[in-house]
Amino acid sequence: MGEQNHASRDRHLFEPGPKRILALDGGGTRGIISIAFLERIEKLLRESTGDPDVRLCDYFDLIGGTSTGAIIGSALALGMSAKEVKELYFDLAPRIFVSSLWRIRYLRSRFDAAALSRELDRIIGDRALDTTDLLTGYCVVTKRVDTGSPWIMSNNPGSPYWETPPDEGHLGNRHYRLASLIRASTAAPTYFDPESLPIGDNIRHGLFIDGGVSPYNNPTIALLMLSQLKAFKLCWPANPDDLKIVSIGTGTHRKRMSSNRQWSILDTFTVAIPSLRTVIDDAELQSLMLMQWLGDCPQRWWINSKIVEMPDDRAPHGPLFRFFRYDMRLEQEWFKEQLGLHVETGLLNRIRELDEVSSMPMSYEIACKVAEQQVRPEDWTWPERTKPRVA
């Protein structure tokens, strides 16, 4: 059974043929928005194949995520259906986003990291990154803050640092606990405490925080590099017929601050946190711009007022992949234009929060409507090869 399941992972990673990447953004409780799109994709794949048991781990050869995207991605790679992930998410969020009067904002993390760890252990257990239960390629993004370097960890056995060297100078990636890696990827500053992970020599540890505090809260570029760079030994074909990349967001909005006041030194801290968050947004926008430039992108997203949707911009040597981005803008004007929907301002503000459990049902309901519009049946046929279901 174990050998069969490793064969599934290795077939996805190393066998020739068209390859497909699924990249899942971070976003806390707004991950429920991503799940609505995933349900729509899985439904269309099942209709296309006529097989009601098709799951996203059958279709995608590499599933990667940051923060909440790492949780969702791991569940998919472990063989859960999108519906099962939705049920898991609605059950999980109220257990971990529990506020306490003892946790004073900015003096302590807002939520108990131990509760998050317990829930991840309950779901994932002691599986390592090399577990045979991961039925396809899987990647998790975190940030080692003591060295200032993003860690892009995958179950690709050809990747650097996969094995522990003879001198045991570092712990091989294959041995890291999957639950611990995901916990590290979700350690958002001010929300959860950092996670300490062993590095090597049986004593050295690294300190890790949320992968969103890097250029890869949207992990699309990181996954593209993993599929192309020779160091990772995959080197998948780069053309629109053979490489499909799907990026799913958790809702975006432009963060604004008032400028009609005199700022003082007392405002420094209250400005610092929102400013750092806009850096994450800038990195996500840069990723989206690059992917639309480098790929064949049937549905283009508005970037900014200077270049708009880049309708006529193409990479000099032609597109390297086919690219789809699914997301929704958490703006009143966008909802009115796209859905003819008015979302009350107070509810919209709650939906924008990363830890607002009460807004999840409405976020999901709206996202399902957006998914019906954006995820088109013609983009989700499965003609390239027979579905290779592995028991």
Side-chain angles (χ1 to χ4, degrees):
M1 182 62 149
E3 291 182 0
Q4 262 190 326
N5 284 344
H6 254 321
S8 175
R9 178 203 67 184
D10 292 345
R11 172 181 52 76
H12 277 291
L13 291 177
F14 299 113
E15 282 192 5
K19 296 298 181 182
R20 311 172 188 91
I21 296 173
L22 175 62
L24 301 169
D25 288 14
T29 54
R30 296 202 322 242
I32 198 64
I33 294 172
S34 298
I35 293 173
F37 288 106
L38 294 169
E39 284 189 301
R40 169 73 172 165
I41 292 170
E42 192 170 81
K43 176 178 180 290
L44 292 176
L45 289 174
R46 289 177 174 183
E47 292 174 355
S48 173
T49 60
D51 186 341
D53 295 323
V54 165
R55 301 194 175 194
L56 295 176
C57 66
D58 299 320
Y59 182 81
F60 287 101
D61 302 288
L62 177 61
I63 300 175
T66 302
S67 195
T68 194
I71 298 176
I72 296 169
S74 68
L76 296 175
L78 287 167
M80 295 180 70
S81 68
K83 180 181 178 182
E84 289 171 329
V85 177
K86 178 189 70 176
E87 294 169 350
L88 169 68
Y89 211 76
F90 272 116
D91 177 67
L92 179 64
R95 295 174 184 268
I96 60 176
F97 290 104
V98 180
S99 298
S100 169
L101 294 176
W102 299 104
R103 293 183 170 273
I104 301 173
R105 195 169 188 176
Y106 302 130
L107 296 181
R108 292 189 65 186
S109 297
R110 297 179 64 183
F111 305 106
D112 183 9
L116 174 57
S117 295
R118 285 193 301 270
E119 292 301 320
L120 292 174
D121 288 342
R122 178 178 65 85
I123 297 165
I124 299 173
D126 286 327
R127 294 180 175 100
L129 187 59
D130 193 29
T131 178
T132 57
D133 294 330
L134 287 170
L135 301 178
T136 188
Y138 173 70
C139 178
V140 54
V141 179
T142 185
K143 173 78 172 284
R144 185 177 173 189
V145 71
D146 58 304
T147 61
S149 56
W151 278 38
I152 301 167
M153 304 275 279
S154 78
N155 66 339
N156 169 17
S159 62
Y161 302 108
W162 181 250
E163 301 286 356
T164 302
D167 65 1
E168 298 186 351
H170 66 265
L171 179 67
N173 287 357
R174 66 184 302 174
H175 301 295
Y176 278 86
R177 290 181 70 248
L178 185 56
S180 297
L181 289 175
I182 296 170
R183 159 71 182 97
S185 183
T186 59
T190 77
Y191 289 90
F192 294 103
D193 292 338
E195 177 77 350
S196 178
L197 296 179
I199 304 300
D201 297 335
N202 298 319
I203 53 171
R204 289 189 297 116
H205 281 69
L207 194 64
F208 291 82
I209 60 174
D210 195 302
V213 191
S214 78
Y216 308 118
N217 190 61
N218 175 342
T220 312
I221 295 292
L223 298 180
L224 173 63
M225 294 298 97
L226 193 153
S227 77
Q228 298 298 310
L229 298 184
K230 293 180 179 179
F232 298 103
K233 298 182 174 63
L234 294 180
C235 300
W236 289 350
N239 65 77
D241 292 329
D242 290 318
L243 184 58
K244 180 178 184 178
I245 302 177
V246 179
S247 171
I248 302 183
T250 58
T252 62
H253 68 281
R254 178 172 290 185
K255 299 173 179 64
R256 303 175 186 272
M257 297 181 66
S258 173
S259 60
N260 297 324
R261 56 174 290 186
Q262 291 295 116
W263 294 98
S264 72
I265 192 170
L266 298 177
D267 296 305
T268 301
F269 196 74
T270 58
V271 174
I273 297 298
S275 298
L276 289 173
R277 288 176 179 168
T278 63
V279 174
I280 297 174
D281 295 340
D282 292 343
E284 291 183 350
L285 198 61
Q286 179 85 340
S287 174
L288 183 57
M289 182 171 63
L290 286 172
M291 295 301 289
Q292 289 190 174
W293 182 51
L294 295 173
D296 172 18
C297 184
Q299 296 169 277
R300 290 179 168 258
W301 279 81
W302 186 88
I303 302 298
N304 59 40
S305 59
K306 292 181 180 179
I307 58 177
V308 195
E309 297 175 355
M310 306 166 58
D312 301 317
D313 289 292
R314 299 291 186 275
H317 302 291
L320 302 177
F321 45 78
R322 192 164 173 82
F323 176 67
F324 294 89
R325 171 69 175 180
Y326 300 127
D327 200 1
M328 64 186 199
R329 295 194 187 279
L330 306 179
E331 308 277 1
Q332 287 283 15
E333 296 78 7
W334 193 86
F335 285 130
K336 289 177 183 177
E337 179 182 336
Q338 298 295 319
L339 302 174
L341 181 67
H342 173 74
V343 180
E344 188 267 328
T345 301
L347 175 59
L348 181 59
N349 289 336
R350 292 197 298 276
I351 290 174
R352 288 173 172 178
E353 294 296 327
L354 304 179
D355 58 352
E356 186 56 67
V357 176
S358 67
S359 69
M360 288 174 60
M362 181 56 71
S363 297
Y364 173 73
E365 182 180 331
I366 296 172
C368 285
K369 295 178 181 179
V370 177
E372 287 282 339
Q373 289 186 351
Q374 291 186 11
V375 186
R376 305 177 305 186
E378 60 266 30
D379 297 323
W380 291 97
T381 57
W382 196 349
E384 299 100 310
R385 61 190 181 203
T386 305
K387 183 180 73 69
R389 184 72 176 171
V390 177

